[in-house]
Amino acid sequence: MDNLNREATVTLSCSNLLMQVVQEGVREIIGQAGVNAVFNLGLQTRLLPQEGGPDFEQDLTFEEIAGLQIALESLYGPRGGRGIALRAGRASFPYFLRQFGERAGLTQMDFRLLPTQARLSSGLDVLARLLSNLCHITVRLEETPGHWLLWVENCPECWHRQTQEAVCHFWVGFLQEFMAWASNGRYYAVVESQCSALGASACVFQIDQQALD
Ligand SMILES: [Zn+2]
């Protein structure tokens, strides 16, 4: 089924468990008061309760996910909001690992014992598959000389947005932290080299294969 048909028949969404991970990252950076302020703006986004319950069970729509980033930008300014999204992406990774690491095989010994480059490459592949399962998105990993490229079609972070610069900073931070974790603390440059909010067909995250330090 192509994307247009899929859009017509289902509400595009991401798993509540993934969005709780995102929300925990945001909470680490701006605190509970900041989180409340973001959601009290009354923009189209939704706060998941920390415990279960009917509200918790409901997945977040792409509109609600893009709305979170828009709310951060309204509250802290475009640059401030994107800086927070970047740091929240980094901060959310440990929550992601706790929630999905075992299921994805990231915490298992045979993964941890792979040589670094193989661990990074297969870890990115695992992330691509897992994110494709958790959201109505297609994430594809491509390897080019010197870089890994993660292609995200239907990116929820910038869903239906038109901006002057790439805006999917949460995923940049998240990938930076994944790379640091999987390489035992090295720093790899990650940039969003194409963004759907700039008219590209997909958001593309370009990850250096050589650490900077
Ligand atoms: Zn984007």
Side-chain angles (χ1 to χ4, degrees):
M1 212 188 298
D2 66 32
N3 284 340
L4 272 179
N5 283 338
R6 209 162 61 163
E7 256 179 67
T9 51
V10 294
T11 303
L12 298 176
S13 62
C14 286
S15 137
N16 59 338
L17 293 179
L18 177 65
M19 293 317 296
Q20 198 189 32
V21 162
V22 170
Q23 201 171 287
E24 288 303 326
V26 173
R27 196 193 315 276
E28 289 250 334
I29 304 306
I30 60 176
Q32 185 59 42
V35 170
N36 292 343
V38 161
F39 288 94
N40 287 339
L41 284 176
L43 295 172
Q44 189 176 16
T45 190
R46 187 156 56 85
L47 180 61
L48 287 168
Q50 278 178 297
E51 300 300 322
D55 271 2
F56 181 77
E57 297 303 325
Q58 222 185 341
D59 291 343
L60 263 76
T61 66
F62 280 15
E63 282 78 10
E64 290 171 328
I65 296 164
L68 171 59
Q69 170 101 15
I70 294 168
L72 286 172
E73 292 175 21
S74 322
L75 201 59
Y76 298 96
R79 298 199 68 156
R82 286 167 203 173
I84 287 166
L86 183 79
R87 289 160 61 205
R90 289 189 201 133
S92 69
F93 185 72
Y95 294 95
F96 177 86
L97 214 50
R98 213 168 299 154
Q99 182 66 255
F100 299 108
E102 197 179 339
R103 187 214 285 193
L106 291 174
T107 51
Q108 274 141 36
M109 198 48 84
D110 49 353
F111 176 77
R112 301 294 293 164
L113 290 177
L114 288 171
T116 306
Q117 285 304 97
R119 191 160 4 114
L120 293 170
S121 169
S122 78
L124 287 170
D125 195 49
V126 163
L127 287 185
R129 285 161 202 267
L130 188 61
L131 291 171
S132 299
N133 278 330
L134 293 171
C135 295
H136 291 111
I137 57 177
T138 306
V139 185
R140 187 163 58 76
L141 182 66
E142 182 188 336
E143 203 162 339
T144 63
H147 298 105
W148 288 288
L149 302 178
L150 216 55
W151 290 73
V152 182
E153 287 172 31
N154 277 358
C155 175
E157 190 171 357
C158 63
W159 183 243
H160 286 172
R161 292 192 70 184
Q162 283 183 320
T163 55
Q164 301 300 317
E165 53 184 295
V167 290
C168 302
H169 291 45
F170 182 91
W171 293 113
V172 172
F174 180 86
L175 290 168
Q176 280 175 350
E177 196 58 31
F178 162 76
M179 294 297 283
W181 171 80
S183 64
N184 300 318
R186 319 271 325 256
Y187 179 82
Y188 292 80
V190 180
V191 293
E192 190 185 12
S193 57
Q194 292 182 41
C195 183
S196 302
L198 290 170
S201 62
C203 293
V204 180
F205 299 91
Q206 176 184 293
I207 305 157
D208 279 5
Q209 289 184 338
Q210 288 300 322
L212 285 177
D213 47 16

